Amino acid sequence: MIKKKKMIAMILAGGQGSRLYCLTQRLAKPAVPFGGKYRIIDFPLSNCVNSGIDTVGVLTQYQPLILNEYIGNGQPWDLDRTHGGVFVLPPYQKSSGSDWYTGTANAIYQNIQFINRYDPDYVLILGGDHIYKMDYASMLDAHIANNADCTIAVINVPREEAPRFGIMNTQEDGRIYEFEEKPPEPKSTLASMGIYIFSTDVLRKYLQDDDNDIISAKDFGKNIIPSMLENDLRLFAYTFNGYWKDVGTIDSLWEANMDLLDPSVPLDLTDSDWKIYARNPVRPPQYVGPNAMVQNSIISEGTEVDGTIDFSVLFPSVIVEEGAVVRDSIIMPGTVVKKGAVVQYAIVAENCVIEENAVIGQRPEDTPDKENWGVAVIADGITVGKGAVVPAKAMIEADLPDA
């Protein structure tokens, strides 16, 4: 007999992550490294366990190998439970013939048997590509207090940014009366965070109805939420006031990492009261050589630094040789930056080699055409040859020869 749960969580982690370009060619977006010792998936998983949720389904699809291996049995997040725990849920062939997830709602619908197995009163649905700390238990309390059918987490955004989001228009009591997808002239600044709590019976009904609709895009934002509003169900907004960032683009991923270096940004990953857990093997301490210069940076365990590091995030097992310079950049695990190389305003993925005197990226002030400035990206496993120059905004997906 499976023990009934009050609430379980479903994390949508199957998207292709196409806006991260070469960083996700062989890697699911939630498995992308973040912040020196984490992967993006650590945030929703840690939020769940910190919120008292002990049963989590992670819906995977695109390039899931590393993500599946990373999650494992859930032990780093205290999710290796006898009753519950974390479960990787890939799409699978059924007698009815359904296969790949065709939208966010369809992904949940295909796993309705997993939900039914635990018979929860409520289902929490999360994205797998957001950086934030959030107490889902408080959101559930609000859901219950409002006698809501669905509660949607929202965050106040600057009015000029509101047209980029799905906007929730609410009455004074927080009840949602209208949902506008990327409105050119928004009525409010309450942006959907893609975090939903549904009363389970309501969710089942609307997923079934949506599955029967042959013209539906099978999406929560495009179909399920508008349909519920049309039928005058009780949808409420839950306003979140902390740090939250969608890291689905190169710029936002870079910015979120840089935010960790800014003391004015409220994203403290050292807070023991709301710890972000991760699967980190034991490594030797970081080594900073006598001629190295390091300021305002994150230098992770197992890293060897003999060069200059400024305002950067270095992951484990990175080597920066003497005379090399890394500024305003993210260097992912196992990468080597050799003597005389310069890496600036760049994201260098895992296990790359930046050969001597290579130059990766440009500073904005050194770029005459500001329209074409952006963060340079090197895909995983790439070797950039001696003296090679990688311009701003470039995406390097193949080895570069010596200059």
Side-chain angles (χ1 to χ4, degrees), residues 290-305:
N291 297 319
M293 290 182 60
V294 177
Q295 56 183 356
N296 200 30
S297 296
I298 293 173
I299 310 295
S300 301
E301 295 175 345
T303 294
E304 299 176 26
V305 176

Side-chain angles (χ1 to χ4, degrees), residues 380-400:
D380 65 292
I382 296 297
T383 296
V384 177
K386 293 180 181 179
V389 175
V390 175
K393 218 173 184 177
M395 300 279 164
I396 304 302
E397 303 175 32
D399 290 349
L400 293 181

Side-chain angles (χ1 to χ4, degrees), residues 262-273:
D262 185 346
S264 68
V265 173
L267 179 62
D268 181 8
L269 300 188
T270 63
D271 180 6
S272 59
D273 291 335

Side-chain angles (χ1 to χ4, degrees), residues 22 34 53 93 146 247 267 282 314 319 399:
C22 57
F34 177 83
I53 299 167
Q93 189 74 38
N146 288 323
V247 287
L267 179 62
V282 176
L314 272 58
I319 296 173
D399 290 349

Side-chain angles (χ1 to χ4, degrees), residues 36-302:
K37 64 176 183 179
Y38 306 98
R39 293 183 186 267
I40 296 169
I41 192 70
D42 290 329
F43 288 82
L45 285 176
S46 298
N47 286 337
C48 283
V49 74
N50 288 331
S51 301
I53 299 167
D54 63 8
T55 305
V56 182
V58 181
L59 284 63
T60 63
Q61 179 159 279
Y62 173 81
Q63 296 286 13
L65 180 62
I66 292 173
L67 181 61
N68 294 356
E69 179 183 68
Y70 183 74
I71 292 171
N73 67 352
Q75 183 271 330
W77 306 272
D78 191 28
L79 287 169
D80 51 338
R81 304 295 180 96
T82 303
H83 301 290
V86 63
F87 300 83
V88 174
L89 303 172
Y92 57 94
Q93 189 74 38
K94 306 174 189 64
S95 57
S96 61
S98 182
D99 47 10
W100 292 111
Y101 300 146
T102 55
T104 55
N106 176 258
I108 300 297
Y109 180 69
Q110 284 201 40
N111 288 284
I112 200 71
Q113 288 182 357
F114 174 81
I115 294 172
N116 292 340
R117 182 175 175 82
Y118 292 96
D119 191 25
D121 296 319
Y122 308 100
V123 178
L124 170 68
I125 296 175
L126 306 168
D129 54 356
H130 301 143
I131 302 298
Y132 65 114
K133 291 180 172 185
M134 182 175 180
D135 185 356
Y136 304 133
S138 295
M139 184 175 171
L140 177 59
D141 289 344
H143 179 85
I144 294 169
N146 288 323
N147 190 28
D149 296 303
C150 174
T151 299
I152 302 172
V154 296
I155 190 165
N156 259 307
V157 298
R159 185 161 290 278
E160 62 272 15
E161 291 184 23
R164 295 173 36 226
F165 294 92
I167 297 297
M168 299 293 167
N169 298 321
T170 64
Q171 297 167 353
E172 285 188 14
D173 62 354
R175 185 167 178 175
I176 300 165
Y177 68 87
E178 185 180 33
F179 170 59
E180 295 183 289
E181 183 64 47
K182 299 181 179 177
E185 296 186 11
K187 297 175 186 174
S188 86
T189 57
L190 295 177
S192 171
M193 298 167 65
I195 298 170
Y196 311 104
I197 291 178
F198 286 92
S199 298
T200 305
D201 290 344
V202 173
L203 178 64
R204 284 195 193 102
K205 177 188 184 308
Y206 276 82
L207 288 177
Q208 181 67 66
D209 290 349
D210 186 64
D211 189 64
N212 293 334
D213 183 355
I214 59 173
I215 64 169
S216 171
K218 315 300 183 196
D219 184 85
F220 279 102
K222 293 176 183 174
N223 305 107
I224 301 291
I225 301 304
S227 180
M228 292 176 73
L229 286 171
E230 194 175 308
N231 290 318
D232 202 31
L233 267 68
R234 293 178 62 81
L235 278 73
F236 282 79
Y238 175 81
T239 302
F240 176 67
N241 294 313
Y243 179 95
W244 176 83
K245 202 167 193 80
D246 179 339
V247 287
T249 67
I250 293 296
D251 286 347
S252 62
L253 178 64
W254 180 84
E255 288 166 4
N257 276 273
M258 295 300 109
D259 282 345
L260 293 173
L261 306 175
D262 185 346
S264 68
V265 173
L267 179 62
D268 181 8
L269 300 188
T270 63
D271 180 6
S272 59
D273 291 335
W274 198 272
K275 187 175 179 182
I276 302 300
Y277 300 91
R279 184 180 294 281
N280 284 315
V282 176
R283 293 184 174 90
Q286 56 272 79
Y287 170 78
V288 178
N291 297 319
M293 290 182 60
V294 177
Q295 56 183 356
N296 200 30
S297 296
I298 293 173
I299 310 295
S300 301
E301 295 175 345

